[in-house]
Amino acid sequence: MLLTTTEPLALRISFGSDEAIVPGVPVLAGEAVEALFGATSPAGRRGDVSLYQAGDWLLGAATVPLTAGLEDATHRLYETILQATDGRHLARIWNYVPAINETGPGGLENYRLFCRGRSLAFEQCYGQAFNARLPSASAVGCHPGALTVVFAASSDQPRHVENPLQVAAYDYPGAYGPRAPSFARATVVPGPDHATVFISGTAAIRGHATIARHSTQEQLECTLENLCAVSQACGLGMDLDRRGDSARHFKVYVRHAADQPLVAALVAERLFKDTDHVSYLQAGICRASLRVEIEASFFGVASLRTRPPEPLPPLRP
C-alpha cells in the first residue's frame, strides 16, 4: 500500500489479511503497511502478546497501557515476551515508545525509563551475561498513551553484530541513563539456503557521541557511513546487499516532517534501488539530538562473507 494523499496515515504492521497493529507513527511517504514476513497464522496468546507463526518464525506484538508507568509496563511486557519465546532466539524487536524524549517520573527521560525496564527484564531472564543474547532493535517515539512492542524470534541461533565505528549500546557510559540500552547493532539469522539480516535503527552516533546535532544532512551522511560499516560486519558488503537478490526493507524516521524531502533525495541516490520496500515515518528518536534514523531488514540473503555464530553463554540457573 503506497501513501498517495497529503494527509499522513498511521503505519500499520500487518500479521495477515485481517490482523494489524497500529503503533501511532505517521507515514510521510512510501509504504504505509509493513508486512515483513508475508502470510502468517495465529499461534495463540501469552498475556498481552498476540503470537503468530510465519514459516519457522515466531512473531509477536502487543500494545499495553501505561497504567503503572512506562518503566513498569516495559518490564512486564518484556517478561511476557521472554516467556513466550522460551526455546527460541530473539532476532529483532521493534519498540514504539510514547513521548520518547519527554521527561517522566523522577526526572528521567521516557526513553531512559524504558531502557531500565527492558534491561532489568533481560537480566532477570538471562543472568548477568545477558548482553550476549541481545538482538537487533529500534526504539522510536509514538503518540502518548501506550507502549507497542513487536518481535521476531527464530529457532536458529543468530549472530549478533556490532558496528566497529560505535561503542556497543549496552556498553554506553552512565551519562546516557541508569541502565544502558539493551540491543545489538544487527542480527544475522542463518538458514539452510538463505540468511535473514536485521540492522537496528541506525543514526549519527560515532563512538557514543551524537554527531552534527544541528544538521540533518550531516547526520544523514554519518548514518549512511554507519549503515555501510555494520553491513560489512554482517557480511553483506559495504553496499547493504544492493547487488544481491535479497528483499530489502527500510524504515526511515525523521524527527521533523519538513526534512523528509531532503532525506529522501539523498537516500534514493545513495542507498535504495527500485525493488526496495521503503517507508518514511515521522517519529521521535532515542536521543533528542538525533534528527534521522534508518533501519533495514533483508530476507533471502544468498551469501554472507562472515563467520558462524559463537556459542551463547549458559543461562542463569
Side-chain angles (χ1 to χ4, degrees), residues 65-218:
L66 308 183
T67 306
L70 176 59
E71 182 176 350
D72 181 77
T74 303
H75 185 265
R76 290 177 181 273
L77 181 52
Y78 265 80
E79 282 185 321
T80 303
I81 290 170
L82 291 166
Q83 292 167 6
T85 56
D86 183 35
R88 290 178 180 259
H89 303 276
L90 281 166
R92 184 57 160 99
I93 306 179
W94 294 265
N95 302 283
Y96 300 91
V97 180
I100 191 169
N101 300 128
E102 293 184 11
T103 301
L108 277 180
E109 182 188 44
N110 280 335
Y111 178 62
R112 298 184 179 194
L113 290 167
F114 164 81
C115 283
R116 185 161 62 184
R118 172 176 61 173
S119 176
L120 288 170
F122 274 123
E123 184 176 12
Q124 289 167 4
C125 179
Y126 294 146
Q128 292 187 344
F130 70 96
N131 286 345
R133 297 177 179 272
L134 295 177
S136 58
S138 54
V140 297
C142 65
H143 296 319
L147 168 70
T148 295
V149 178
V150 179
F151 71 84
S154 171
S155 56
D156 295 311
Q157 182 186 325
R159 179 172 69 93
H160 304 304
V161 178
E162 292 304 319
N163 183 350
L165 301 179
Q166 296 176 303
V167 172
Y170 47 76
D171 285 334
Y172 279 178
Y176 295 99
R179 301 281 296 203
S182 301
F183 68 94
R185 300 294 181 188
T187 294
V188 177
V189 182
D193 301 310
H194 298 88
T196 305
V197 179
F198 300 104
I199 295 181
S200 301
T202 301
I205 296 172
R206 192 56 51 85
H208 58 73
T210 301
I211 300 299
R213 62 182 58 229
H214 299 300
S215 172
T216 300
Q217 183 162 345
E218 289 181 45

Side-chain angles (χ1 to χ4, degrees), residues 44-51 61-62 64 77 80 83-84:
R45 293 185 63 87
R46 178 67 69 94
D48 292 310
V49 180
S50 297
L51 300 171
V64 296
L77 181 52
T80 303
Q83 292 167 6

Side-chain angles (χ1 to χ4, degrees), residues 162-165 224-234 238 240:
E162 292 304 319
N163 183 350
L165 301 179
L224 293 174
E225 291 173 3
N226 280 329
L227 284 169
C228 289
V230 75
S231 173
Q232 187 172 45
C234 288
M238 291 286 286
L240 289 88

Side-chain angles (χ1 to χ4, degrees), residues 7-28:
E7 284 296 321
L9 300 176
L11 176 69
R12 290 173 56 85
I13 301 169
S14 175
F15 294 96
S17 57
D18 299 323
E19 296 194 52
I21 197 163
V22 183
V25 179
V27 181
L28 300 175

